[in-house]
Amino acid sequence: MNIDLTMLEWARAQFAMTALFHFFFVPFTLGMSFMVAFFETIYVKTGKKEWKEITQFWQLIFGINFAIGLSTGIIHEFEFGTNWSTYSWVVGDLFGAPLAVEGIVAFFMEATFAAISFFGWKRVSKGIHLASTWLLAIGSNLSALWILIANGFMQHPSNEFGRYSIENARLEMTDFWALITQPVAQVKFLHTISASYTLAAVFVLGISAFYLLRKKHIDFAKKSAAVAAAFGLVASIFTAVIGDEHAYQITNTQPTKIAAVEGLYIGKKGAPIVAIGIPKNLKATEVTSNDEAFVFKIELPKMLSILGKHRFNAYVPGLKDLIEGNPEYGIWPLKKLAQIGKEAREDLYKYHEAKKTGDTATMQAAKEDFYKVVWEDPKTGIKLTKADFIGYGYFANPNIDPDLIHPPVPPVFYAFHIMVALGFWFIILFIWAWVAVVKGSFETNALLQRLAVLSVPLPWIATSFGWMTAEIGRQPWTVFGVLPTAESVTPIALQNVQATFFMFLTAFVILGIAELKILFTVVKSGPKGAH
């Protein structure tokens, strides 16, 4: 297929815009749904009216975000069919299944119990209403689970749950249970939802601090801040802990991503983490040392080996190793991977040409070669066939720049390190806030209150940069090692994508302004006017 690179970039820009805008709402929905459930649980347990007012205020804010986030998510899913139909065809069997379950199970739960939770205060009993609020929170988070199972497959496709079918020229599912229990997806889910809980807690803490600074709704703010500090402290620490496991999974499944994240060009035993640095945008094939890849850096010795391999002196490959290969550590060069992938693509072509003429002998020979085992792990017995490397065949052209096989270093490096830095700040903020709440000094600590207010937008920055790390870091693949982004796009007229890009941009600006205006109005009105 001939790819219009201009159309590709417009399609990517539209998808990135939609994803980032949608992701402003997703973590807030995931986190606030549980915070509202906690507030209502306290109300039902104590029977105190003030806790009902607290619950209804935060539920109103949650409901505003929930409604707008829902509309942007629908647009997002449609783009798979409009701009990325080749992707949808090749991987639809694996990608579509968890999204279908999400719609049937999680979305159904959300739609059903949202109605009772939002509008059933005077229509159902306390117990049923509380159960509905909890089921809405669970449904929202189950929705994230299924979506991240689909995304986890894109990050690390495995023949444990999928197989490239030579008969249909697409990936097909072989084990649904293996798909939903894949470690990459499960860790990704836990990291995402814990970050979302942190975001919601920072928001509640910040708005509570805002009221205290203005000497308004003091009892409401103190109670809300106490719950937010406890919830946020647990969530922020868990985010960091599961982030460690996430780093381990990435190192062992997406070596180009972890190398780009740390600006590691030359592989190293006892590899360090760059705590602070300014990376250069260099060609990996031209780099001779890791020091020349940075204008400035401060390293933490051996930490990348510890996080990525759980051993102090473990070898972590750099981008140059992943392009040129490293026989000492069993790393194949890109040329070898591309040659295997090219042979797989040739087998696929031979099979379907022979199928047209009814040449069963050629079909069988092509099929046998397509599924020929080219690597086997002596420890686990896991086998990889030529079919598993079919994506690398797109890089078999000798004129292709080998540096295209890895993501751009500076954007991934900065996105990841800003996310991590903000994550540590949230832990510090919640420890400080919790200690202040326990001592009874949160109400009078103006410095902490101001920092809490200033921190309100920071979790959105952190979660957006985390998502950018995951998605930019996967490039040049939509499905890692199987389908390049350039081959995933729909071959349609450029003006169609441009027109919808600006249409969506206009809609998002209007929706964004509307939500902010409504939120500011609700916050300004305070808890008394929530319902």
Side-chain angles (χ1 to χ4, degrees):
M1 181 172 68
N2 294 321
I3 304 299
D4 182 345
L5 294 179
T6 306
M7 190 278 170
L8 171 65
E9 293 309 315
W10 274 94
R12 293 177 71 178
Q14 184 185 102
F15 197 82
M17 175 184 67
T18 309
L20 285 173
F21 188 78
H22 179 57
F23 205 65
F24 273 108
F25 302 97
V26 170
F28 193 57
T29 296
L30 298 177
M32 281 302 296
S33 64
F34 270 104
M35 289 220 67
V36 170
F38 285 131
F39 284 127
E40 187 173 350
T41 300
I42 297 172
Y43 159 61
V44 171
K45 188 171 181 63
T46 63
K48 294 181 179 179
K49 184 180 178 181
E50 59 263 33
W51 283 107
K52 182 178 181 181
E53 291 178 350
I54 291 172
T55 303
Q56 290 180 325
F57 175 78
W58 295 117
Q59 185 188 55
L60 178 59
I61 289 179
F62 164 65
I64 295 165
N65 182 85
F66 182 80
I68 297 179
L70 182 65
S71 63
T72 58
I74 292 171
I75 293 173
H76 202 188
E77 292 200 13
F78 273 116
E79 286 181 6
F80 287 111
T82 56
N83 295 353
W84 305 96
S85 59
T86 304
Y87 164 86
S88 298
W89 160 253
V90 175
V91 305
D93 193 42
L94 281 158
F95 186 77
L99 292 187
V101 176
E102 186 259 342
I104 295 169
V105 178
F107 191 74
F108 178 80
M109 284 182 66
E110 290 178 88
T112 301
F113 295 108
I116 301 173
S117 183
F118 291 141
F119 308 113
W121 283 99
K122 297 179 180 179
R123 295 175 175 84
V124 296
S125 67
K126 283 184 180 180
I128 291 176
H129 193 276
L130 177 62
S132 297
T133 302
W134 274 103
L135 288 169
L136 171 58
I138 293 169
S140 298
N141 283 256
L142 278 177
S143 181
L145 172 64
W146 292 107
I147 290 169
L148 289 169
I149 285 172
N151 185 266
F153 141 72
M154 294 168 65
Q155 305 291 342
H156 180 53
S158 169
N159 55 21
E160 292 180 9
F161 52 76
R163 174 177 180 265
Y164 202 105
S165 168
I166 193 171
E167 293 88 353
N168 298 316
R170 63 197 299 262
L171 281 172
E172 294 181 348
M173 189 186 305
T174 56
D175 189 334
F176 183 67
W177 180 249
L179 175 67
I180 64 177
T181 57
Q182 52 176 306
V184 171
Q186 298 302 322
V187 170
K188 195 174 185 66
F189 167 69
L190 292 174
H191 191 57
T192 300
I193 62 168
S194 58
S196 300
Y197 302 157
T198 303
L199 181 149
V202 171
F203 180 83
V204 172
L205 186 72
I207 299 302
S208 301
F210 172 75
Y211 286 140
L212 291 174
L213 284 169
R214 300 190 68 178
K215 309 299 181 185
K216 291 184 176 181
H217 317 298
I218 292 175
D219 188 58
F220 164 88
K222 288 169 61 179
K223 286 181 167 63
S224 295
V227 175
F231 185 60
L233 180 58
V234 174
S236 59
I237 292 174
F238 184 77
T239 302
V241 172
I242 202 66
D244 170 75
E245 179 61 23
H246 199 188
Y248 175 78
Q249 290 292 339
I250 292 172
T251 303
N252 293 281
T253 58
Q254 293 179 286
T256 52
K257 178 185 287 186
I258 199 67
V261 157
E262 289 301 329
L264 185 68
Y265 285 86
I266 310 296
K268 188 175 181 180
K269 293 178 69 175
I273 277 180
V274 179
I276 302 173
I278 303 175
K280 300 176 184 177
N281 191 18
L282 304 175
K283 285 185 170 293
T285 50
E286 298 174 0
V287 174
T288 57
S289 76
N290 288 315
D291 290 335
E292 72 181 72
F294 284 84
V295 176
F296 160 80
K297 65 177 177 177
I298 297 176
E299 296 180 334
L300 301 177
K302 299 184 182 293
M303 285 302 297
L304 185 57
S305 290
I306 295 171
L307 290 175
K309 298 291 185 177
H310 292 174
R311 300 193 308 277
F312 281 96
N313 290 311
Y315 179 82
V316 180
L319 295 173
K320 192 169 185 176
D321 300 274
L322 297 166
I323 293 173
E324 298 179 354
N326 189 323
E328 181 181 355
Y329 294 98
I331 300 171
W332 290 355
L334 175 59
K335 287 184 179 179
K336 181 174 180 177
L337 296 172
Q339 180 58 37
I340 295 172
K342 180 182 178 182
E343 291 173 7
R345 293 188 68 196
E346 289 172 349
D347 287 333
L348 184 66
Y349 178 78
K350 288 177 186 177
Y351 180 91
H352 285 278
E353 286 300 304
K355 187 176 181 180
K356 292 177 183 177
T357 60
D359 185 353
T360 56
T362 301
M363 288 172 62
Q364 184 61 30
K367 185 174 182 178
E368 289 177 359
D369 193 63
F370 188 72
Y371 293 117
K372 180 182 177 181
V373 175
V374 293
W375 180 84
E376 182 175 356
D377 189 329
K379 294 181 180 179
T380 63
I382 294 174
K383 299 178 181 179
L384 297 179
T385 66
K386 285 186 177 181
D388 295 309
F389 296 91
I390 191 169
Y392 288 95
Y394 294 100
F395 295 90
N397 187 333
N399 296 321
I400 288 180
D401 182 357
D403 276 279
L404 293 177
I405 199 64
H406 67 79
V409 172
V412 178
F413 176 90
Y414 286 124
F416 176 79
H417 284 77
I418 291 172
M419 175 195 69
V420 171
L422 289 174
F424 280 112
W425 164 243
F426 300 143
I427 293 174
I428 294 169
L429 177 66
F430 284 121
I431 291 174
W432 190 1
W434 175 245
V435 171
V437 166
V438 172
K439 290 183 175 181
S441 61
F442 186 80
E443 181 184 352
T444 58
N445 194 329
L447 175 60
L448 175 56
Q449 291 165 10
R450 290 190 180 95
L451 289 173
V453 173
L454 292 173
S455 295
V456 167
L458 298 183
W460 275 273
I461 295 173
T463 53
S464 294
F465 277 148
W467 197 247
M468 289 167 65
T469 301
E471 299 307 295
I472 298 175
R474 193 182 62 241
Q475 297 307 310
W477 308 99
T478 45
V479 181
F480 194 86
V482 174
L483 186 65
T485 305
E487 299 292 333
S488 305
V489 74
T490 304
I492 56 176
L494 175 62
Q495 57 267 29
N496 293 338
V497 183
Q498 291 174 326
T500 52
F501 176 90
F502 288 110
M503 182 178 70
F504 292 153
L505 177 61
T506 302
F508 293 157
V509 169
I510 293 171
L511 285 171
I513 293 173
E515 177 173 19
L516 288 174
K517 186 175 181 179
I518 295 169
L519 285 177
F520 287 146
T521 301
V522 171
V523 171
K524 185 177 179 181
S525 299
K528 294 294 182 181
H531 280 265

